[in-house]
Amino acid sequence: IQMTQSPSSLSAFLGDSVTITCRASQGIANYLAWYQQKPGKVPEVLIFASSTLQPGVPSRFSGSGSGTEFTLTISSLQPEDAATYYCQRYNTAPWTFGQGTKVEI
Amino acid sequence: QVQLVHSGAEVRKPGASVRVSCQASGYTFSAYYIHWVRHAPRQGLQWMGRIIPNGGGTNYAQEFQDRVSMTVDTSINTVYMELNRLTSEDTAIYYCAKEASHRSRYFDSWGQGTLVSVSS
């Protein structure tokens, strides 16, 4: 199962709302996580089960979708949101990641 | 709190092997799968495989199947990832990550990573 993210990069202004899309080549129900990786840092989970926010993650992050189409939305973009975002399916092996979306602010 | 601590950076020549360790603490080590993910320069995250400390069962990504080995030493809460027949394309940061639960298999904790450089 392939995971395809779009766009590969985006640039937005502080306070903007941005949406990243992740498409699975086959249905994966809601077994979808989103990770944030800042430059030189370790990836961190933002959202799991497509829409459940990991404890401690700001509420401006939200996820939705099921089956083959998923979205990550960051509302009111902040300076610390500059990062690369990856989707990941985890319903079964292999645990495939999307190719990443670099967000510049 | 959960901690995953990696071994230090490694430099290898092409054709050699490397073994990276990941020592866990702060949770019941035997009960959760540990995954290995690598991040090569200008590339995305790539899943390599996973191991369950309780019993040592493994699943490997097809592209690494013939040259990766994941093992565990439960006496020191440590998992190992060995990669053989290295090429320059194996230059990457290698991460271990803990699976959140058997019902929700995303990664809730990551180690700091080990940089492996392959160069002649």
Side-chain angles (χ1 to χ4, degrees):
Chain A
I1 299 178
Q2 305 299 316
M3 305 300 293
T4 304
Q5 275 183 246
S6 61
S8 56
S9 66
L10 66 88
S11 184
F13 294 97
L14 287 176
D16 281 354
S17 176
V18 299
T19 296
I20 300 167
T21 299
C22 179
R23 290 187 174 86
S25 58
Q26 296 178 33
I28 59 170
N30 69 336
Y31 294 101
L32 192 284
W34 290 97
Y35 297 86
Q36 177 193 63
Q37 186 176 29
K38 297 180 181 179
K41 301 296 186 181
V42 176
E44 295 184 350
V45 64
L46 298 173
I47 287 168
F48 62 94
S50 177
S51 61
T52 303
L53 214 58
Q54 180 76 357
V57 173
S59 59
R60 63 180 180 274
F61 292 93
S62 64
S64 66
S66 183
T68 61
E69 291 241 356
F70 302 87
T71 59
L72 171 71
T73 299
I74 312 172
S75 61
S76 188
L77 211 56
Q78 299 300 303
E80 60 267 29
D81 300 335
T84 299
Y85 294 83
Y86 295 93
C87 63
Q88 178 209 37
R89 71 172 193 93
Y90 58 89
N91 54 320
T92 186
W95 274 251
T96 317
F97 290 91
Q99 73 273 30
T101 297
K102 185 176 182 178
V103 173
E104 296 180 331
I105 303 170
Chain B
Q1 74 282 18
V2 174
Q3 278 198 305
L4 300 172
V5 178
H6 280 254
S7 50
E10 303 275 7
V11 179
R12 294 287 185 273
K13 293 189 183 302
S17 298
V18 69
R19 191 176 81 156
V20 177
S21 70
C22 168
Q23 186 173 39
S25 62
Y27 70 99
T28 305
F29 175 67
S30 60
Y32 296 88
Y33 277 92
I34 291 288
H35 295 248
W36 287 90
V37 175
R38 75 178 188 180
H39 191 191
R42 296 170 297 283
Q43 301 290 319
L45 300 173
Q46 186 178 21
W47 182 76
M48 300 180 68
R50 69 170 185 168
I51 183 168
I52 181 71
N54 184 7
T58 56
N59 301 103
Y60 299 140
Q62 189 172 9
E63 56 266 44
F64 298 104
Q65 185 79 35
D66 61 345
R67 64 187 187 103
V68 73
S69 177
M70 296 176 187
T71 55
V72 60
D73 185 341
T74 54
S75 69
I76 54 172
N77 283 11
T78 298
V79 296
Y80 302 91
M81 187 282 299
E82 183 170 14
L83 191 61
N84 304 310
R85 302 193 301 278
L86 294 168
T87 72
S88 59
E89 294 185 354
D90 295 315
T91 294
I93 298 175
Y94 289 77
Y95 295 102
C96 66
K98 172 186 162 292
E99 194 172 280
S101 73
H102 294 302
R103 295 185 64 182
S104 200
R105 301 178 184 177
Y106 66 97
F107 306 157
D108 63 352
S109 297
W110 295 64
Q112 85 275 19
T114 294
L115 175 62
V116 175
S117 300
V118 183
S119 174
S120 56

